[in-house]
Structures are given as C-alpha cells and as structure tokens.
Amino acid sequence: MQTPGMRSALTIAGSDSGGGAGIQADLKTFAAHRVHGVSAIAALTAQHTRGVTAVHVPPLDFLRAQLAACFDDFDIGAVKIGMLANAEVIHTVADFIEAQSRPRVDAAAQVSHPASIRRRAASMARSASTAEPALAPVVVLDPVMVATGGAKLLADDALEALRTRLLPMADLVTPNIPEAELLIGRRIADGDDARAAIALLRGMGARAVLLKGGHLDEGDSVVDRYDDGAVQREFRHRRLPLEGHGTGCTLASAIAANRCLGLPMPAAVEAATDYIERALRGGYRPGRGDVVVLDHIGAGLSS
C-alpha cells in the first residue's frame, strides 16, 4: 500500500558514468530532499571529470517502457527533463508527458470492448477521478545542450523540436546563458539582455523562466533571474572560484523536489539556488579533472 501523500520526482535525462551530473546527480538531489526519485534514462554517456568520451541513445521503445513503468506505479509530482539527445527522443518524451494530463475517462472510453464494458470502465474511471484526482506533474525543463567540458549533447535537428515541443509544456525552463542564446537566436551580454531573453522565452510558451547567470560577468555575484509573469525575482549568490560539474542538473532537480514537497514555484526556486550554493561550497574533486562535483547529500543535511 502506497504511503499516503507521497509524490515522487521523475528525472528523464542522460546517465553520467562519472556520477557528477545527469541521472546520478538528479537522484542524489531527490534523496537529499527526502523525495523518492525515479528515472527514465534517455541517453548513456561515457563521462568523467575531464569530459565526455561517448554517447549512446537507447531505443525509443525502451524509453517509453521506462516512462510507462514510472507512471504506472508511482504518483509523479514533478518531472525534471534533462539531456534528450535528438529530435526523436524529444518527440517521444513530449508525446508521453502530454498524455499524462488527459482525463482517465478518455482512455476508458476508447477501449475496444462491448458497449457495456466501455460504460463500466468509464464509470470506474470517473469514480476514481472523483475520489483521487490525477494531477498532471509539474515539468521542469533543463535544456541541456553542451556538457561542462564542451562536448555537444544535442543533435543539430533537435533544437527546433526543443523549442516547439518542450518549451510550451514546461512549467519552468532553466537555461544558462549559452543555452538561452541558442533558444532565442541572439546574444545575451548583460542584465538588460537577460531580462529581454526571459520575455522571449516566455513568449515561446514557457510558463516561467529561471535564467541562470553564471556565464554573465556581473561582478562578484552570480545573478539568477526568475519570471513567471506575476512574480519577478533575482537570486544573488557570491561567485565562487571554482567550476562546478552538474550544477544545472542539480538545480533543476532541486526545484522539482521542492515542488513535490509543496513549495510554490518562486519559493522552490529560491530554496534550490541556496541548496546549490551549499553543495558547491562542500564540493570535492574525486577525479583527475579540475571540475568540482557537488556535495548533494551534505547540502541537504545542512539546510
């Protein structure tokens, strides 16, 4: 029997064999927030702290099977979408997530059975829906395009699919500056450009935008800008003298976890940015590369 009120967080992303980013970072982040995490692996990378050496994309049918298994058994409160390597994978994920918001009665009514069975199935679906509404999960989109070490993680044909299929279904999109520049097709050089970019991204369909400011030179601070149309916030943290690995994955996953815990989006984002700072301050270098792997668990314990 399911623990009452428990909502799980789902990550749909790539696996990082080095353990610092991707699925591995996501699941550690969920655990640090005491949220049950489930996963659908959309890509496998051969990766360590010095870069990505190979990428393998599993068959689409296997991706669908993973998604179906997660939604069949768990109450998914939030979905974090990360690395989706090509247009086919993007369309597969978008189709599946869109289907989760359809009323259960529609599926029952379309079953190819005699009319009496269809009516009974529809009645059961309506009763279940009345007793326990099937809420569509919150979608947090981290539009991963390039790895920390510079390796390209998104095929050329996938950018338009990302714009037209994933952005409109995102409750929040969390690009960094280079990713936002690719999405909107223009350079972002300062704070004014950043605010204009957010407006363009919302105009492309995203309900809310968190534009990460780590790539902008704004002095000693990193400024992450949030806008959902009603609330505009700037989250400032001191710039640290290090290069973190998996920060984008971790931030998006922390937001998804906070939404599962019931925080409204602005509060979920603020708590996640604070979590990232703690995780970076406690970071370490497990490999021979210069990048710092975040202390996911310690940052959760120290909150």
Side-chain angles (χ1 to χ4, degrees), residues 29 34 43-44 49 61 76 98 105 110 116 122 168 179 182 188 227 230 272 291-292:
T29 301
R34 300 185 65 82
L44 297 100
T49 60
D61 283 347
I76 306 298
E98 283 178 349
V105 65
Q110 292 170 7
S116 59
E179 291 162 348
L182 285 171
I188 302 170
D227 188 348
V291 297
V292 168

Side-chain angles (χ1 to χ4, degrees), residues 12-13 79-84 93 97 139-143 166 169:
I12 309 171
V79 176
K80 179 261 180 172
I81 300 176
M83 176 190 174
L84 304 182
V93 170
I97 298 301
V139 175
V140 179
L141 171 62
D142 178 23
L166 294 182
M169 71 168 50

Side-chain angles (χ1 to χ4, degrees), residues 165-210:
R165 294 300 311 278
L166 294 182
L167 270 180
M169 71 168 50
D171 293 288
L172 176 71
V173 60
T174 64
N176 59 30
I177 297 298
E179 291 162 348
E181 288 176 335
L182 285 171
L183 287 169
I184 67 174
R186 66 170 65 176
R187 186 166 176 265
I188 302 170
D190 54 30
D192 289 338
D193 288 347
R195 285 182 282 273
I198 289 173
L200 289 171
L201 289 167
R202 292 198 64 249
M204 295 165 70
R207 294 175 183 84
V209 177
L210 176 66

Side-chain angles (χ1 to χ4, degrees), residues 32 34 275 278 295-303:
R34 300 185 65 82
Y275 170 78
R278 295 193 302 273
D295 181 10
H296 299 88
I297 303 302
L301 293 174
S302 61
S303 61

Side-chain angles (χ1 to χ4, degrees), residues 6 11 13 18 22 54 57 68 154 205 210 218 223 234 277 281 297:
M6 174 171 281
T11 169
V57 179
L154 186 72
L210 176 66
E218 297 187 271
V223 183
E234 290 187 355
E277 184 182 40
R281 289 187 181 279
I297 303 302

Side-chain angles (χ1 to χ4, degrees), residues 29-48:
T29 301
F30 295 156
H33 287 77
R34 300 185 65 82
V35 170
H36 181 69
V38 296
S39 62
I41 298 176
L44 297 100
T45 68
Q47 184 174 177
H48 45 50

